[in-house]
């Protein structure tokens, strides 16, 4: 028999692209293995994975929140309660007891939509955030927000003529999943000169183009705060987006996983689409996604998150339930993480002071690093960078020398991919080129995370590489 | 705008059926909520979810293994090590330390294929089991076996003419996922009179029929030990299966999640397909699935498992890696569970005596319950039941009275679905009718798990319901 080759596989799979863990990440992994094996011939001592928002990774070491981890340890091994009785805060022990009474063992499958009590807590969290009712039956706990996005795209896309409107630049989960399910990406450009604002005219233009091409726009993706841009939508824009969805019968997919990563909350606050939809009394079908991987928790490895449905009929909800039931249930460790996300310690509770200190420090450090990095990047020749008011990233724009564009072309690569590869090879810093997120023709960007603790060393390396690169390709 | 209706969605999704968590499970959930709310008008005091192999669920309460849970608790909260230093076995503390050094925080994303060190341990486990080499690069850790099966079917199916050979009866994950990805199920019947053996003639017939229908058979699914049947394949049959895959260029998908649930290991031992493929020197592409949800661990809620590729080219493996990277990584709690599965305490280690006692007790209780339940079911009028040598289930056959068949027909249901619904309403025991797993026309079965601790009460309820049902429909 002949061996299995890529040509034998589902062609949709071949079209999937996911730059965040693509060629650069694989190369970074190789360097990490080399360093671990004791190789001394690399020009750097460690690999910094700035390609991915992974705050607790080795080398970044953002500490996990004590409250979450103590509750989770007690859920793993309930007899531990006896041992820590007078040593851990009483509210930790009570929280674990309450969850154990509801869940039993975390080694059992839960309800496929997630533990009912935790869904109630999520609904309460949303009510307090928005001031509008939320029904636990509308909440689906998931293995991170990605699992929810993937499910919804699979359900919404009827190949081959379903279009999904996605922002450019975008988090490549969207294009990857669209390729996987044979949907058509309908890109609309965010406006860099306005701090990556969402432009209604761009969305309208993308819809018009789709209709001309025989593609039915089915849903609109908004990432707020933006990834990779960090931009926040203001309320008037959100209202216009909702009205546009009404007008074009679009499902709104609101990716709100960075809702608590706000660096300038006074000038750039977060408003949920659920709140705007309810205030307008709009009937648009809305799915909102949230996650424990981002914010100040950064619990990526637990795989936890949820989505809320609004204006979704019981029949459609039952179909979603059927689909999640085939996957049995989201990981219980992630569900416990969601409970701790939506029910953090309150003032007056014994865990509160530690929790407050930990979360304040993480938030302040992130905001400060984002500010410093944006300022320093903006001071470099040929670099301009919107100072991101939210999320975990910067998305600087590069003016690259013509010689670099040509050298990259010879390798069959965009010039920012060449830039990112040389940056990795020179400094051990792994970033993702703009070509992985989308940008206008002829433009160059890269996305980097603002998670590195030693910001001085990190930015210093970025700066000296940049100058070297320009020198190498005649840009200075 | 008009609301979103099922008719607006991907039609493939509408075709998905998953009986294990279907109508009966939803009804069982309603009863459970009623009981919790204090309702007294039901004829039973608790709901027993025998629809799903979920050993640690409330009411069944199979205890988790202490070793796994202590390691996991330390991974959740490393400072705990100080507190338990002289109280927990030293090998627990060392295992957690070793994993922490490799992983860092379990709140970080790992490598998308899973933590490299854990993949090495899996490969070693396979080598010791089979006596043939295993490469950690061929191992993909997953969020339970289901996630791996879903990925592989998505990758192997090019709609609309790809066929996948599946046993009947089958675990409905297969038909559900085939419907989701627009693949064609090519059923082959297992032979009930021979204890549900796999018949090569049936597979050949299914291939011939597919080819006549213009469908390309791409892969063959074998569930060994069987679900729902518990049957084990013997080596000659396995060898013939491998030769048949060679002859027809089929990918072999070996679902081996019950490999350590063996009730009669002397007469019905487990052999892996990997071992048979290697011994024959066969080039067939093979994917083997394993899980921490079954066996004596029963850690369903952690969502952990793995698949191993054999005879898969680096190019195809790279495509699989790309696809899992879009989902970021399997849950770390599940990965820790896999490490404990493949590296249990060894004789001489401090944790060994407790681990040995716990695993022996769980295995013995399961084997004994399976034996008792099969004997008692076989003693009932109109019931015959293969005494399952493996897995967690029995799949008794029912001869149902004509009146019951007619009554069910009027409700638009198969008669075994009526039987299962009345069983649930009468006893609180939730089983899944044979129509959910597949059976020959006119036959009736149901699957029940052998996990209930109070076997006497449980079987007693099944027996008295069965007699009542026959009386009601004139079968006695």
């Amino acid at each position: 028999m002949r061996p299995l080759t890529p040509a034998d596989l589902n062609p949709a799979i071949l079209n999937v692209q996911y730059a965040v863990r693509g060629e650069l990440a694989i190369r970074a992994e190789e360097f990490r293995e080399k360093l671990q094996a004791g190789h001394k011939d690399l020009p750097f001592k460690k690999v910094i994975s700035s390609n991915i928002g992974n705050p607790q990774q080795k080398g970044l070491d953002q500490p996990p929140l004590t409250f979450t981890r103590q509750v989770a340890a007690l859920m793993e091994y309930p007899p531990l309660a006896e041992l820590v009785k007078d040593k851990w805060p009483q509210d930790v022990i009570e929280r674990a007891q309450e969850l154990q009474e509801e869940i039993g063992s975390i080694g059992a499958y839960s309800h496929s939509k997630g533990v009912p009590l935790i869904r109630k807590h999520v609904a309460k969290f949303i009510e307090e955030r928005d001031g509008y009712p939320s029904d636990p039956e509308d909440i689906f706990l998931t293995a991170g927000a990605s699992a929810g996005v993937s499910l919804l795209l699979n359900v919404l896309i009827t190949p081959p003529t379903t279009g999904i409107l996605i922002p450019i630049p975008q988090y490549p989960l969207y294009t990857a999943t669209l390729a996987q399910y044979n949907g058509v990406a309908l890109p609309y450009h965010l406006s860099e000169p306005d701090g990556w604002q969402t432009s209604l005219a761009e969305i309208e233009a993308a819809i018009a183009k789709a209709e001309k091409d025989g593609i039915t726009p089915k849903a609109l993706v908004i990432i707020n705060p933006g990834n990779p841009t960090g931009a926040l939508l203001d309320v008037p824009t959100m209202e216009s987006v909702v009205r546009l969805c009404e007008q074009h019968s679009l499902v709104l997919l609101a990716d709100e996983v960075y809702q608590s990563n706000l660096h300038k909350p006074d000038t750039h606050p977060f408003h949920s689409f659920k709140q705007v939809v309810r205030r307008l009394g709009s009937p648009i079908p809305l799915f909102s996604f949230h996650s424990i991987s981002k914010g100040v928790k950064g619990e990526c490895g637990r795989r936890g998150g949820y989505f809320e449905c609004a204006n979704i009929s019981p029949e459609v909800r039952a179909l979603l339930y059927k689909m999640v039931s085939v996957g049995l249930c989201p990981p219980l460790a992630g569900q416990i993480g969601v409970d701790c996300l939506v029910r953090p310690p309150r003032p007056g509770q014994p865990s509160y002071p530690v929790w407050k200190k930990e979360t304040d420090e993480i938030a302040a450090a992130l905001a400060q690093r984002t500010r410093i990095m944006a300022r320093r990047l903006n001071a470099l020749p040929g670099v301009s960078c919107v100072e991101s008011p939210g999320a975990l990233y910067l998305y600087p724009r590069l003016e690259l020398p013509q010689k670099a564009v040509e050298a990259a072309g010879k390798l069959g690569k965009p010039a920012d991919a060449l830039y990112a590869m040389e940056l990795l090879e020179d400094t051990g810093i792994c970033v993702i080129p703009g070509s992985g997120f989308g940008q206008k023709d002829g433009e160059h960007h890269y996305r980097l995370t603002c998670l590195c603790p030693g910001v001085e060393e990190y930015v210093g390396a970025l700066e000296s590489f940049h100058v070297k690169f320009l020198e190498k390709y005649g840009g200075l």
Side-chain angles (χ1 to χ4, degrees), chain A residues 264-321:
Chain A
K264 306 170 176 181
D266 296 339
T267 55
H268 295 76
F270 169 77
H271 300 276
S272 77
F273 264 110
K274 169 82 181 304
Q275 187 186 49
V276 172
V277 162
R278 286 293 182 247
R279 193 168 51 231
L280 294 179
S282 171
I284 65 161
L286 166 69
F287 296 95
S288 323
F289 302 89
H290 197 13
S291 166
I292 61 171
S293 300
K294 311 302 170 186
V296 290
K297 284 185 83 76
E299 288 278 353
C300 305
R302 310 185 83 77
R303 313 309 298 119
Y306 71 81
F307 64 85
E308 184 191 23
C309 319
N311 299 327
I312 298 300
S313 68
E315 292 73 30
V316 170
R317 225 171 47 189
L319 277 170
L320 296 174
Y321 173 52

Side-chain angles (χ1 to χ4, degrees), chain A residues 389-445:
Chain A
L392 307 177
Y393 314 102
L394 288 170
Y395 194 61
R397 181 167 172 185
L398 301 172
E399 298 294 335
L400 295 179
Q402 188 54 28
K403 267 198 195 165
V405 174
E406 285 161 14
K410 278 182 199 149
L411 299 167
K413 280 184 195 199
D416 47 17
L418 176 74
Y419 184 93
M421 188 56 89
E422 294 198 5
L423 174 67
L424 173 63
E425 286 168 352
D426 193 59
T427 64
I429 298 174
C430 183
V431 300
I432 302 298
S435 41
F437 300 93
Q439 54 199 349
K440 291 186 176 160
D441 282 349
E443 288 186 356
H444 300 110
H445 294 82

Side-chain angles (χ1 to χ4, degrees), chain A residues 28 104 112 123 130 141 198 229 288 312 355 468 470:
Chain A
S112 297
D130 294 342
L141 302 189
T198 299
T229 67
S288 323
I312 298 300
W355 178 87
K468 255 202 296 197
L470 291 190

